[in-house]
Amino acid sequence: MTTSNIAKKYIKSRFNSLIFMKFRLATLLLIGGVTLLTIIMVAWFTGIGQIDEFFAQIHYFQENPPMWVQVPTDNSKYLVLPTILLFLIAQGIMKISPTPKTWSRLLVVGILLGLTIRYLSWRSLSTLNLIDPVNGIFSLGLLGLEILTLSSSILLLFLMLKFKPRRGEADYFSQEILDQTFMPSVDIFIPTYDEAEFILERTVIGCQAIDYPNKKVYLLDDTNRLEVKNLADKLGCEYLTRDNNAYAKAGNLNHALSKTNGEFIVVFDADFIPTKNFLIRTLGFFQNQQVSLVQTPQTFYNIDPISRNLGLENILTSEEEIFYRQVQPIRDSSGGVGCVGTSFVVRRKALESVGGFVTESICEDYFTGIRLSTKGYRQVYLEEKLSAGLAAENISSHAIQRLRWARGTLQAFFINSNPLTIYGLSLIQRLSYSQAILHWFTSISTFGFLLMPLAYNFLDVIPIKATVAEYLYFFLPYYFVNFTVFSWLNYRSRSAMLSNFYGVVLAFPLAVTIIKSLLNPFSQGFKVTPKGIKSDRYFFNWNLAWPLVLLFGFNSISLWFNLSKLIDGGWAVTEQAKSLNLGLFWNGYNLLMIAVALLILIDVPKPDIFEWFNLRRVVKLRINNQTFWGVTKQISEVGAEIEINHKVSSNLVGKNLPVTLKIIEEKICLGGKITNIEISGEFTCIKVRFEKVNLSEKRQLIELLFCRPGQWQKRETPDELKSFWLLLRVLLKPRFIFERKPQEKAMEVGQF
């Protein structure tokens, strides 16, 4: 064995030993923490010495809190005045500044931070119920869950104090690209594992259509499929494969990195299609030698499963919108941009300086960004939709994706790229990157909040000891102002009312994944999100639903008992009744959220694997040697639906009749057959299925549907009142009941 091989073997053994030590340490800390908590609780239960005295002392302070967390008794009739004043101030700020500006954002964030600190002070110094161990455990547990959630919110608010949009810079830097004075070589990587050919085809065509001459497109096939190689040959792009699948996507990208030499690398997931101006808008930033990576947002050209299952297509924004509109710009300002694995450009020199894409974790993108920051490189987030991909197409795929993200992010605790410990990051960068880790722990809080109101009734526990006056004075201002400005702060990407049920859907599996990841972080490898799925029936995901079904049942029983006790007590305003009122409200709110979450778990049929776009284009039709003019209502890769502006005789057209179609503006000529005809009054609607589309026509069609600059626009979420009405409408008229066709088969019950 040579000296170099011995050295490599030694380094590898040391690395494995280090990973094992970190894994063992994290596991011991977790088990040790649980053990210590158990010992304290047992000691308290049994009244052992100093432990019992310690909790008695805390209880004394709770009964005699500082003056500044007490309700003013002499002005009790003005208790709602702070809420009203702050609400009016918030409304005034939003009226003057419809979108957050520097001054308005700072003012609102300052108010929220102050209210959050005030609320936490009241909760921790005045509301804990430590009268006995059972009440104490639930009271302290609830406070802990709240602190876990609020810690993520406080950190985000703190980082929000600094905010820097990049569109103006993109306008400025793009001039050198347009003038061709800055024209470095670019390699475009499209990693693929088992995606369907039709998905890969449009991605490659979209990448080839990017308006930039000095580029090469590489299809990185990690399954060594002959059909994918043939596709690359047909489309005229480079094809790369390797002998094994080591390190999954990261390994695939690193292999391509070693086989190419472009100055810059662009990565698109196999289902993401760029607009033609992608490089014009992003590449100019790299004229600054300190910029290592430019990340753009993800958006989707299909309807996400949550919106589709609820019947709220084109009303709800996708779950990722709040991350790309609010969180990423915040992290950009703090030097902690999150690389999201697709739709980004990276400088080869910088990437090679950190050893390529990180292979320690299944979230190679996130940790590669961290590594680049430790070398002093800057990363930029351009909040401009320059590509679009396929969102998860059913709720099972959605869950696979989210659980993978959670598991990969939490692997930070066991690898060298841990943002809490890695050398080279500033404090603000550590906070920014750590917020991504902390975010996943809030799912434990969400699941705990679903369980907590059950303690009111089944265990006769009161976790929060507070009067109605205290709720009005301390809780109401905090909650109501947060509720009011939530959508404004995230640039109308999500309303507060609609945001909560997103967390409820996967609260239990995420909580389990977090615990599993801390105990055994590398037990599962990279699991690809299935794409190109179609179905012809409703499908209930029982494996994801059963915890919610149990919670719905228990909360329903608890609500009934709470109502019975309240009615039997004659609605008396006693301490017990006040506490029950909170349990009553909490049960009702949980039932609403769980009911919506259960409807989300009923996947609706998706019979077509191709997406149809509401795209209006003037077309010229040739049918039976006669010419007609019309406008497209919908168009896809495989067909079009066209309105003809006058009535056509039914004997002139018929199903399967050949038709020639020309899209005037784009000068695309296509042949096909008529598959459906609807005649209404003076208008005729014809559905055409394209046939024998050659490669040139396919390129034109893909560019029309996916690659037009500026086509992926932002949508605004409904306001809070409309959001509440939407939730009620969904519950009163569930899609799987009222939109089913008589011939549809019975709903299947399946597993995740």
Side-chain angles (χ1 to χ4, degrees):
M1 185 179 293
T2 64
T3 304
S4 61
N5 287 337
I6 294 173
K8 288 179 181 178
K9 188 174 181 180
Y10 173 75
I11 292 171
K12 184 177 180 180
S13 67
R14 290 291 295 169
F15 174 77
N16 291 335
S17 175
L18 181 62
I19 291 295
F20 176 73
M21 287 176 63
K22 287 187 175 183
F23 167 71
R24 185 171 59 183
L25 178 61
T27 305
L28 287 174
L29 286 174
L30 180 64
I31 296 173
V34 173
T35 304
L36 179 61
L37 182 62
T38 303
I39 291 171
I40 292 173
M41 292 306 174
V42 170
W44 189 17
F45 265 105
T46 55
I48 295 176
Q50 293 182 342
I51 297 292
D52 194 47
E53 184 180 342
F54 172 73
F55 282 103
Q57 191 68 31
I58 296 178
H59 177 64
Y60 172 79
F61 284 122
Q62 293 291 317
E63 295 295 318
N64 301 275
M67 290 294 296
W68 48 281
V69 290
Q70 295 184 36
V71 175
T73 55
D74 53 340
N75 293 313
S76 57
K77 61 182 179 180
Y78 300 114
L79 292 178
V80 297
L81 188 59
T83 303
I84 295 171
L85 289 176
L86 289 168
F87 172 75
L88 292 175
I89 291 170
Q91 288 291 333
I93 293 171
M94 292 188 294
K95 190 73 173 177
I96 297 170
S97 176
T99 57
K101 307 295 182 185
T102 301
W103 69 269
S104 56
R105 185 177 58 256
L106 289 175
L107 189 54
V108 168
V109 169
I111 292 172
L112 289 178
L113 283 171
L115 286 173
T116 304
I117 293 170
R118 178 176 182 262
Y119 171 76
L120 279 176
S121 300
W122 168 68
R123 279 286 286 116
S124 58
L125 297 175
S126 178
T127 66
L128 296 179
N129 185 8
L130 305 179
I131 193 169
D132 57 57
V134 175
N135 277 281
I137 289 170
F138 280 92
S139 189
L140 290 170
L142 178 58
L143 178 63
L145 294 176
E146 287 188 78
I147 289 174
L148 185 59
T149 299
L150 290 176
S151 297
S152 179
S153 299
I154 291 171
L155 183 53
L156 205 58
L157 285 172
F158 173 73
L159 296 173
M160 206 181 296
L161 293 171
K162 189 178 179 183
F163 194 96
K164 187 176 183 181
R166 299 285 187 181
R167 289 197 174 210
E169 292 181 33
D171 293 339
Y172 176 78
F173 290 128
S174 65
Q175 291 305 310
E176 280 71 16
I177 310 297
L178 294 169
D179 297 340
Q180 298 191 356
T181 56
F182 182 68
M183 295 287 289
S185 57
V186 176
D187 292 331
I188 300 175
F189 291 172
I190 306 169
T192 174
Y193 185 73
D194 61 357
E195 289 82 5
E197 286 181 67
F198 76 93
I199 294 175
L200 294 174
E201 182 180 45
R202 60 193 178 203
T203 300
V204 172
I205 289 174
C207 290
Q208 291 174 326
I210 292 176
D211 190 9
Y212 187 80
N214 196 12
K215 68 179 186 296
K216 279 187 179 181
V217 178
Y218 292 85
L219 192 53
L220 315 181
D221 181 17
D222 226 12
T223 45
N224 200 10
R225 291 172 288 170
L226 179 60
E227 59 271 25
V228 175
K229 185 179 187 305
N230 292 337
L231 177 66
D233 292 338
K234 182 183 80 169
L235 298 178
C237 73
E238 305 293 329
Y239 176 82
L240 290 175
T241 189
R242 55 185 181 142
D243 296 332
N244 57 64
N245 305 122
Y247 303 116
K249 181 181 175 182
N252 194 6
L253 291 170
N254 284 335
H255 175 260
L257 192 65
S258 69
K259 301 293 183 181
T260 57
N261 55 18
E263 296 173 70
F264 294 93
I265 294 160
V266 179
V267 178
F268 290 109
D269 279 348
D271 57 295
F272 266 81
I273 308 169
T275 55
K276 290 185 176 183
N277 63 339
F278 182 89
L279 286 174
I280 292 174
R281 298 297 293 170
T282 56
L283 200 55
F285 285 98
F286 291 97
Q287 294 171 87
N288 182 339
Q289 294 299 313
Q290 289 302 112
V291 172
S292 64
L293 184 144
V294 175
Q295 178 67 63
T296 65
Q298 293 185 25
T299 194
F300 304 99
Y301 53 78
N302 64 326
I303 304 298
D304 71 277
I306 292 177
S307 300
R308 187 175 65 250
N309 293 351
L310 292 179
L312 298 177
E313 300 94 330
N314 302 317
I315 297 176
L316 290 186
T317 55
S318 67
E319 186 184 13
E320 292 84 356
E321 281 292 294
I322 193 169
F323 176 77
Y324 289 110
R325 288 198 212 175
Q326 182 189 37
V327 178
Q328 278 282 57
I330 292 169
R331 292 183 182 173
D332 183 21
S333 300
S334 58
V337 172
C339 179
V340 299
T342 185
S343 309
F344 67 89
V345 190
V346 63
R347 190 187 299 272
R348 177 185 290 270
K349 179 182 175 182
L351 190 57
E352 289 176 342
S353 73
V354 298
F357 292 93
V358 170
T359 58
E360 300 170 293
S361 166
I362 57 175
C363 282
E364 81 293 328
D365 43 12
Y366 172 66
F367 295 107
T368 299
I370 292 173
R371 287 275 187 90
L372 289 169
S373 294
T374 63
K375 294 291 184 180
Y377 284 109
R378 281 181 53 207
Q379 296 168 70
V380 169
Y381 175 68
L382 175 61
E383 204 266 300
E384 191 171 330
K385 295 184 176 183
L386 299 172
S387 64
L390 273 172
E393 295 178 282
N394 57 36
I395 201 64
S396 177
S397 300
H398 176 87
I400 288 171
Q401 192 178 61
R402 269 54 181 181
L403 298 181
R404 184 184 73 231
W405 292 349
R407 189 170 62 253
T409 305
L410 293 176
Q411 286 172 350
F413 294 117
F414 308 94
I415 64 176
N416 293 326
S417 302
N418 185 350
L420 296 172
T421 59
I422 193 170
Y423 178 78
L425 295 179
S426 66
L427 176 60
I428 195 73
Q429 286 176 314
R430 293 188 194 280
L431 291 175
S432 181
Y433 285 122
S434 299
Q435 195 276 332
I437 300 173
L438 187 59
H439 162 76
W440 292 109
F441 284 94
T442 60
S443 61
I444 294 177
S445 297
T446 302
F447 186 66
F449 295 151
L450 294 174
L451 289 171
M452 191 59 66
L454 304 180
Y456 278 86
N457 189 68
F458 297 124
L459 299 177
D460 202 24
V461 164
I462 303 175
I464 301 177
K465 190 176 180 181
T467 64
V468 172
E470 287 177 305
Y471 282 120
L472 291 176
Y473 192 66
F474 289 103
F475 173 76
L476 192 62
Y478 160 76
Y479 181 81
F480 202 60
V481 174
N482 268 282
F483 191 83
T484 301
V485 302
F486 183 86
S487 177
W488 179 81
L489 274 177
N490 63 54
Y491 294 83
R492 312 292 178 188
S493 59
R494 179 76 54 79
S495 68
M497 181 61 68
L498 294 175
S499 67
N500 293 330
F501 68 76
Y502 279 87
V504 171
V505 176
L506 297 179
F508 179 73
L510 275 174
V512 172
T513 296
I514 289 168
I515 295 170
K516 284 184 176 180
S517 297
L518 293 176
L519 292 174
N520 192 1
F522 304 105
S523 60
Q524 297 184 41
F526 190 95
K527 195 171 183 180
V528 177
T529 305
K531 298 289 175 69
I533 299 170
K534 67 177 181 179
S535 66
D536 60 355
R537 63 193 66 196
Y538 285 85
F539 186 88
F540 183 59
N541 197 310
W542 175 252
N543 203 41
L544 291 174
W546 71 262
L548 296 177
V549 171
L550 290 178
L551 284 169
F552 189 87
F554 285 126
N555 273 275
S556 299
I557 296 170
S558 180
L559 179 67
W560 174 258
F561 283 150
N562 277 328
L563 283 171
S564 299
K565 288 181 180 180
L566 200 61
I567 293 171
D568 291 343
W571 304 87
V573 185
T574 63
E575 188 67 33
Q576 183 71 1
K578 291 170 189 174
S579 300
L580 282 172
N581 281 333
L582 177 59
L584 190 71
F585 168 80
W586 206 338
N587 281 138
Y589 178 79
N590 280 355
L591 287 172
L592 175 64
M593 291 295 106
I594 295 170
V596 174
L598 287 172
L599 291 179
I600 289 171
L601 297 179
I602 304 174
D603 281 312
V604 302
K606 186 180 180 294
D608 198 342
I609 58 175
F610 295 97
E611 303 303 322
W612 289 72
F613 298 89
N614 297 324
L615 191 61
R616 309 287 287 185
R617 287 292 187 272
V618 175
V619 296
K620 181 180 177 181
L621 293 171
R622 188 76 175 169
I623 308 172
N624 279 349
N625 296 319
Q626 293 195 31
T627 300
F628 302 92
W629 291 87
V631 177
T632 57
K633 285 179 62 180
Q634 292 188 98
I635 189 166
S636 78
E637 297 165 71
V638 295
E641 192 173 333
I642 304 145
E643 280 186 338
I644 297 176
N645 55 10
H646 60 274
K647 188 174 181 180
V648 179
S649 173
S650 58
N651 60 11
L652 182 64
V653 294
K655 287 187 177 181
N656 297 318
L657 194 66
V659 59
T660 302
L661 179 150
K662 182 177 182 180
I663 303 174
I664 301 301
E665 186 176 342
E666 279 78 16
K667 299 179 181 179
I668 304 175
C669 292
L670 299 163
K673 287 187 177 180
I674 296 173
T675 59
N676 191 50
I677 306 159
E678 292 181 6
I679 299 174
S680 177
E682 298 298 320
F683 296 93
T684 301
C685 184
I686 298 175
K687 195 165 185 178
V688 176
R689 183 85 177 183
F690 302 143
E691 291 189 339
K692 298 179 181 178
V693 178
N694 62 40
L695 182 56
S696 176
E697 293 166 344
K698 175 60 72 75
R699 290 186 187 278
Q700 289 178 295
L701 202 52
I702 294 296
E703 290 177 27
L704 167 65
L705 295 176
F706 301 98
C707 303
R708 290 172 287 118
Q711 74 176 98
W712 308 116
Q713 297 294 315
K714 292 180 182 178
R715 287 190 291 110
E716 291 192 353
T717 194
D719 60 33
E720 300 299 344
L721 287 176
K722 189 174 181 181
S723 296
F724 182 67
W725 165 245
L726 285 173
L727 291 182
L728 290 180
R729 193 187 83 181
V730 165
L731 290 173
L732 294 173
K733 194 176 180 181
R735 186 170 191 173
F736 81 98
I737 294 177
F738 289 91
E739 294 188 19
R740 296 186 70 176
K741 296 178 182 178
Q743 68 270 25
E744 285 177 356
K745 297 178 182 179
M747 177 169 52
E748 286 191 350
V749 178
Q751 291 190 346
F752 157 57

